[in-house]
Amino acid sequence: MPDLLLELRSEEIPARMQRKAAGDLKKLVTDALVEAGLTYEGAREYWTPRRLTLDIRGLNARSADIREERKGPRTDANEKAIEGFLRGAGLSSISEAHVHSDPKKGDFYVAHIVKPGRPADEIIAEVMPGIIRNFPWPKSMRSGAASAKPGAMRWVRPLQSIVCTFGSETEETRVVPFEVDGLTAGNVTYGHRFHAPEAITVRRFEDYVANLEKAKVVLDAERRKQIIATDANNIAFASGLELVEDEALLEEVSGLVEWPQVLMGTFDEEFLAIPSEIIRLTIKTNQKCFVTRKPGADTLSNHFILISNIEAKDGGKEIVHGNGKVVRARLSDAKHFWLRDQHDLPDLDTLKASAETFGLDLKKPLDQRMAKLDALNVTFHAKLGTQGERVSRIRTLATELAKVTGADAALVDRAVVLAKADLRTEAVGEFPELQGIMGRKYALLQGEDAAVAEAIEDHYKPQGPSDRVPGGKVGLTVALADKLDTLIGFWAIDEKPTGSKDPYALRRAALGVIRMLLEKNIRLPLLTIAKDPDLLAFFHDRLKVYLRDMGARHDLIDAVLTPEADDLLMVARRVEALTAFITSEDGQNLLAGTKRATQLLAAEEKKGTVVEGAVSADLLKLDAEKVLHAAVETASKDAAAAVAREDFRSAMEALSTLRAPVDQFFNDVLVNDDDPAIRANRLALLSAIRAATGTVADFSRITG
């Protein structure tokens, strides 16, 4: 079966767009071919900075014929109806139609229509121009002489050539010709921009890849990443160092080069006085280079790894020299930021009012930055006020939360006051991702308590499902206050997540709160803090997602999660205990018996049958119902006592004693007795079973 090779070659595509664009190309092309009636065995996409490539194997040479039966009017219909049928079916006379009979409807005409399949080449040539013209780039541009015309094609960067070849292994491939804004598809591509700019004629994917490799182009992005990672680690190891791995940077640099060459450069050791985080981000952001360190060391070395796209004749000396000059210049700027942040601001007199509001010491640089943040009235959100106002709200909330977490209230207050101060530092202004990290460093430099410094960094955590929660009680308290203030505030102004849109990362904030409460065993009545049932419901939704991700069954979560449950730690513990119980033999059997009792009771209640409010011992006639009544009373009392002391496992154990009595009851007792009083009493006994199990969970919600 034939294979299809497609390449779209352009000027350099931004690295961040390449992987998705290649995936989009694969989906758009394969979807279009399948919709046109073609099938294929497999497809794989590739990308480099200058090309998107698609290799489709085992494509049909032509689409299948389509046979269709179109029902027409009765044979005795009027002439106009028959003429309309002929036009719609594409028939020239009624003699070309078939007559079908139906016992009820009589005889009627049917057209047997055959639409012949089409050659794959024709289909490919038809669908490709539209795919290219309407390609979903995040940003695109017009280029060349055609760009002045209305409706000119837009592409991420100027599109330079198109390869489109089609054919099987046993025959010569052929070009599928189509044209897009003056570019005609052919079988010619080009290799590395500098090392091999000559034209390359290709037939099928295998020789295409081999010829590109000879022309200094590694087509497979994953292989480029592997080359870079391996060579970078080897070069670092040869110098007695280890590479500081950075997957995001590795992905980016693999999209910047077609022929990766790994080199090592150095910078002056004096820059090592700058925090390692600043060095790493300076070198990464400005030069897309990796940093290194001594094996096991916390601080960096003065060697960095750079990735070139050129195999230089001098072994890369000039490339290393040029990169080194830029790195040194950028580190000089970074050192300037670092030192400036430790000195006094020039306008201290204007900060006195803010300093008094927050109890700040204007002799300390970080305090000055917080005062400056407040004095400038930096907006947090148009409807939620300034950053200073937000810090005041967090301060009030953290005071209450400290009583729950057991954190030192004075340290919590100091940490809250300084938590946002580094937003006014030059280091964070240059590298926003260092917020919190730089605050911690500056806090330690000015002699703050270690717990306060730690809390300044940790109050942003956790920032995702894989991020750690704050370690200390002070940081935990500030982080909870920060996230709860965000959620309460945006709920108050009705800026809630909708569908896939969550511009303020409120789902992430709620998940962070949940993780802190559960992982640190914190009992927090959320409704008294948030004072909003709708926000509590949002927490419930996030809790369900979290617990399901942790392996809990959705029906068990629903069985314990009531609308008013605002102690999420207790909900999680109930789910854990219920999971252990319901997977045991006793739990399974009790679940079956309880469901039978509940269903029978619900059916009678629906019919309006009288159910006594309490069981009358005098009306218990059979041993099985007497034993069950005694067991229910004991189990109810024991389970309620266990729940009261939050011992949910013991509550489950108490309920497990009902298994045998419930089974025996349904074996020996007819609930719907002829005597209305006995029937009502036995239904009351079923109601008691439902109430007993309900102290722990709603068993009716459990499947199985």
Side-chain angles (χ1 to χ4, degrees):
M1 295 179 74
D3 302 329
L4 173 66
L5 169 63
L6 176 70
E7 181 201 67
L8 305 176
R9 188 180 63 87
S10 68
E11 294 289 340
E12 275 72 6
I13 305 167
R16 68 184 183 279
M17 298 182 187
Q18 293 168 17
R19 183 182 291 272
K20 183 179 185 302
D24 287 341
L25 180 64
K26 174 183 171 181
K27 186 176 190 309
L28 290 168
V29 173
T30 55
D31 283 358
L33 296 180
V34 169
E35 187 176 341
L38 297 173
T39 60
Y40 62 96
E41 292 177 357
R44 185 176 173 186
E45 72 275 27
Y46 299 86
W47 62 93
T48 79
R50 300 179 63 217
R51 66 200 80 220
L52 301 178
T53 299
L54 187 57
D55 173 30
I56 301 181
R57 301 293 177 95
L59 192 65
N60 294 114
R62 64 181 294 116
S63 60
D65 295 344
I66 299 175
R67 289 174 169 77
E68 175 188 345
E69 283 193 359
R70 184 171 298 179
K71 186 177 178 181
R74 288 167 52 97
T75 53
D76 57 359
N78 62 53
E79 189 174 334
K80 285 189 176 181
I82 291 175
E83 287 177 357
F85 165 63
L86 294 176
R87 281 196 305 272
L91 303 181
S92 57
S93 73
I94 199 63
S95 63
E96 297 177 359
H98 298 258
V99 176
H100 288 198
S101 296
D102 185 285
K104 295 182 179 178
K105 298 182 180 179
D107 295 342
F108 57 91
Y109 290 114
V110 174
H112 292 183
I113 303 170
V114 178
K115 294 181 180 178
R118 301 165 60 202
D121 311 47
E122 183 182 315
I123 294 172
I124 294 165
E126 182 181 278
V127 303
M128 283 309 306
I131 289 173
I132 294 172
R133 281 183 170 278
N134 301 306
F135 200 80
W137 293 108
K139 291 185 178 180
S140 57
M141 60 185 290
R142 292 190 294 267
S143 62
S147 65
K149 300 176 182 178
M153 186 186 73
R154 301 179 67 91
W155 196 249
V156 63
R157 295 291 185 270
L159 191 61
Q160 296 177 324
S161 67
I162 302 171
V163 169
C164 191
T165 65
F166 184 67
S168 66
E169 292 185 6
T170 58
E171 64 181 15
E172 189 64 30
T173 56
R174 55 193 179 274
V175 171
V176 180
F178 60 85
E179 185 268 338
V180 185
D181 265 32
L183 282 177
T184 302
N187 61 352
V188 175
T189 189
Y190 297 83
H192 192 284
R193 180 189 293 278
F194 305 112
H195 290 307
E198 302 82 12
I200 302 170
T201 302
V202 298
R203 295 179 301 131
R204 62 185 84 255
F205 184 75
E206 285 73 17
D207 70 278
Y208 166 76
V209 174
N211 285 329
L212 281 181
E213 191 88 17
K214 292 175 186 175
K216 308 291 186 183
V217 175
V218 178
L219 181 66
D220 189 342
E222 295 305 319
R223 187 164 159 251
R224 292 198 304 275
K225 287 174 69 173
Q226 185 179 24
I227 291 170
I228 293 168
T230 301
D231 289 356
N233 276 294
N234 288 342
I235 288 178
F237 181 77
S239 298
L241 302 168
E242 66 179 13
L243 185 73
V244 177
E245 295 185 359
D246 188 327
E247 181 59 32
L249 180 58
L250 180 60
E251 173 79 9
E252 183 176 10
V253 296
S254 72
L256 297 175
V257 296
E258 291 193 316
W259 191 247
Q261 304 297 305
V262 181
L263 305 167
M264 177 177 278
T266 62
F267 55 85
D268 299 341
E269 288 193 354
E270 68 177 81
F271 292 121
L272 294 176
I274 307 170
S276 294
E277 294 88 349
I278 296 180
I279 296 173
R280 182 182 64 82
L281 279 171
T282 298
I283 293 176
K284 172 183 177 177
T285 304
N286 292 289
Q287 288 303 101
K288 313 302 179 190
C289 295
F290 296 86
V291 292
T292 64
R293 63 191 171 205
K294 289 285 186 182
D298 293 328
T299 55
L300 302 178
S301 80
N302 67 325
H303 293 72
F304 63 91
I305 303 291
L306 64 103
I307 315 302
S308 171
N309 193 36
I310 298 174
E311 192 175 304
K313 294 179 180 179
D314 65 354
K317 290 181 181 178
E318 280 301 313
I319 296 173
V320 169
H321 176 70
N323 275 267
K325 285 178 64 177
V326 177
V327 165
R328 285 189 286 276
R330 298 288 78 80
L331 286 176
S332 180
D333 292 342
K335 184 179 180 181
H336 176 71
F337 300 149
W338 166 245
L339 295 176
R340 277 276 296 266
D341 287 339
Q342 297 173 51
H343 288 85
D344 290 343
L345 292 173
D347 53 351
L348 293 183
D349 287 343
T350 65
L351 307 178
K352 290 180 179 178
S354 294
E356 186 175 339
T357 298
F358 292 99
L360 298 166
D361 182 353
L362 291 182
K363 295 177 183 178
K364 297 181 176 181
L366 198 58
D367 290 58
Q368 295 173 21
R369 271 68 186 177
M370 177 56 214
K372 186 71 173 180
L373 184 70
D374 179 62
L376 288 173
N377 289 320
V378 175
T379 300
F380 168 64
H381 185 280
K383 296 180 180 179
L384 292 173
T386 66
Q387 286 282 10
E389 290 169 335
R390 181 168 186 246
V391 170
S392 293
R393 292 196 304 269
I394 295 173
R395 198 177 181 187
T396 301
L397 186 54
T399 299
E400 295 304 311
L401 291 174
K403 300 172 185 176
V404 177
T405 62
D408 184 298
L411 295 180
V412 166
D413 190 66
R414 180 64 173 162
V416 171
V417 165
L418 294 179
K420 307 296 181 184
D422 67 357
L423 297 178
R424 291 303 306 167
T425 62
E426 295 195 38
V428 174
E430 182 72 10
F431 302 114
E433 53 266 64
L434 289 180
Q435 63 184 19
I437 296 172
M438 296 313 302
R440 177 177 188 167
K441 292 183 182 298
Y442 293 137
L444 290 173
L445 284 172
Q446 70 177 34
E448 298 297 332
D449 189 287
V452 170
E454 180 186 48
I456 291 172
E457 178 178 353
D458 281 3
H459 88 280
Y460 289 107
K461 297 183 179 296
Q463 295 187 327
S466 60
D467 194 17
R468 66 174 178 84
V469 300
K473 290 183 177 180
V474 176
L476 193 70
T477 306
V478 181
L480 280 170
D482 181 80
K483 289 172 175 57
L484 286 169
D485 174 75
T486 298
L487 289 159
I488 293 168
F490 282 107
W491 243 253
I493 62 173
D494 200 26
E495 290 276 3
K496 307 165 188 175
T498 55
S500 61
K501 295 181 180 179
D502 187 10
Y504 303 110
L506 301 181
R507 292 188 180 98
R508 187 174 69 186
L511 179 60
V513 171
I514 289 167
R515 284 190 57 202
M516 285 186 279
L517 296 179
L518 270 53
E519 293 180 29
K520 295 296 183 178
N521 295 313
I522 297 174
R523 302 283 309 279
L524 182 65
L526 282 173
L527 203 51
T528 62
I529 298 291
K531 299 180 177 65
D532 188 331
D534 187 45
L535 178 53
L536 180 60
F538 180 71
F539 271 111
H540 285 176
D541 289 340
R542 294 297 93 202
L543 179 65
K544 289 178 182 179
V545 172
Y546 175 76
L547 292 177
R548 284 199 296 266
D549 288 345
M550 298 298 289
R553 282 168 38 182
H554 69 89
D555 58 324
L556 301 188
I557 300 170
D558 290 340
V560 303
L561 189 58
T562 60
E564 64 277 0
D566 68 346
D567 187 338
L568 303 189
L569 178 61
M570 289 301 99
V571 171
R573 287 180 176 173
R574 282 176 181 261
V575 171
E576 181 183 7
L578 184 58
T579 300
F581 176 63
I582 216 65
T583 52
S584 69
E585 184 181 355
D586 280 349
Q588 284 290 317
N589 289 331
L590 178 60
L591 174 62
T594 302
K595 281 199 164 189
R596 185 175 175 184
T598 302
Q599 289 165 358
L600 199 159
L601 184 62
E604 292 300 318
E605 288 174 335
K606 189 174 182 180
K607 291 189 292 186
T609 304
V610 175
V611 178
E612 291 297 331
V615 177
S616 172
D618 294 339
L619 292 176
L620 299 173
K621 302 301 182 185
L622 302 177
D623 289 344
E625 57 184 335
K626 293 176 182 178
V627 170
L628 178 59
H629 179 235
V632 167
E633 285 196 324
T634 301
S636 296
K637 185 175 70 174
D638 292 347
V643 168
R645 63 177 186 270
E646 296 167 6
D647 184 356
F648 301 112
R649 288 189 180 275
S650 293
M652 299 296 173
E653 290 174 5
L655 292 181
S656 69
T657 62
L658 293 177
R659 172 197 166 179
V662 167
D663 289 346
Q664 196 63 45
F665 176 83
F666 282 115
N667 285 334
D668 298 353
V669 179
L670 177 65
V671 174
N672 288 324
D673 193 87
D674 292 337
D675 185 331
I678 292 177
R679 180 169 64 249
N681 197 55
R682 287 173 179 172
L683 289 173
L685 187 53
L686 299 186
S687 182
I689 296 172
R690 183 172 63 183
T693 55
T695 59
V696 174
D698 183 351
F699 275 46
S700 68
R701 290 179 173 269
I702 303 175
T703 60

